Amino acid sequence: MELHPIPQPDELDIREKEDASGAYLMMFATTALGLPLPIVNMIASVVYYFVNRSKGRFVKFHALQSMYSQLIVSAINSYLVIWAIVNLVNNKPFTDVFWGLAIAVGVFNLVYFIFSIIGAVRAHKGRFYYFIFFGRLAFVQVYSVKEKQHEKPVNLPPKM
């Protein structure tokens, strides 16, 4: 697989480093709204990606990795919130399975926060930090050279 040149920390300007680290830090800014409505974090990460994807491959990589991981975290958090709302509306007790899931989701979010802080710090230093699965996925999407497809020309000379 052919790759685009991978920038080294001294080749990146401070703005690129800040925008890349902002992809992870943006999640903390929306957490206050995102606790009752996890979809807010997901929307914020998607918007951040689309606004910043044209600012260079380094920024695009970090924004994409952050967005992919945020989609999973938001889905898990949304599931838990919906389950809690359904239980409250129907006046049902919270089962041990619910509390087990709530603890697992809490631990998962804590681990995600830690990885996001590490990712933000590394990006601010101009370094890459690869999340499990999402790092490779984002890297391949951003840095692999797409083969030019040989398209048939649209305009052809007249048949003779």
Side-chain angles (χ1 to χ4, degrees):
M1 171 176 34
E2 188 179 352
L3 298 175
H4 288 281
I6 300 171
Q8 298 305 309
D10 58 340
E11 298 171 351
L12 298 165
D13 64 11
I14 190 67
R15 184 65 185 178
E16 286 178 294
K17 294 175 185 178
E18 288 174 351
D19 287 340
S21 66
Y24 303 103
L25 297 177
M26 169 273 318
M27 179 256 321
F28 293 107
T30 60
T31 297
L33 288 173
L35 287 177
L37 301 169
I39 192 89
V40 172
N41 286 355
M42 185 170 61
I43 292 169
S45 66
V46 170
V47 168
Y48 192 90
Y49 169 73
F50 281 105
V51 167
N52 291 290
R53 69 181 174 172
S54 62
K55 294 184 177 180
R57 292 187 189 281
F58 184 74
V59 176
K60 184 177 181 178
F61 164 78
H62 286 287
L64 190 62
Q65 177 174 251
S66 177
M67 181 183 72
Y68 284 157
S69 57
Q70 185 61 47
L71 292 174
I72 300 301
V73 170
S74 294
I76 293 170
N77 290 344
S78 295
Y79 181 76
L80 185 66
V81 168
I82 289 169
W83 190 358
I85 291 171
V86 167
N87 278 357
L88 289 173
V89 167
N90 294 328
N91 203 19
K92 290 184 179 179
F94 291 104
T95 64
D96 290 342
V97 174
F98 174 84
W99 290 114
L101 179 65
I103 291 168
V105 168
V107 169
F108 186 76
N109 277 286
L110 179 63
V111 169
Y112 176 66
F113 284 174
I114 292 168
F115 281 117
S116 292
I117 290 170
I118 294 168
V121 169
R122 299 277 304 228
H124 197 272
K125 292 180 179 179
R127 311 270 322 224
F128 283 87
Y129 184 71
Y130 303 104
F131 286 8
I132 297 171
F133 180 72
F134 302 115
R136 184 175 187 83
L137 181 64
F139 183 83
V140 167
Q141 282 189 300
V142 174
Y143 281 97
S144 64
V145 175
K146 313 289 189 276
E147 291 185 31
K148 293 181 181 175
Q149 305 209 357
H150 300 288
E151 297 179 11
K152 191 174 183 180
V154 177
N155 294 327
L156 299 173
K159 294 189 184 208
M160 304 218 181

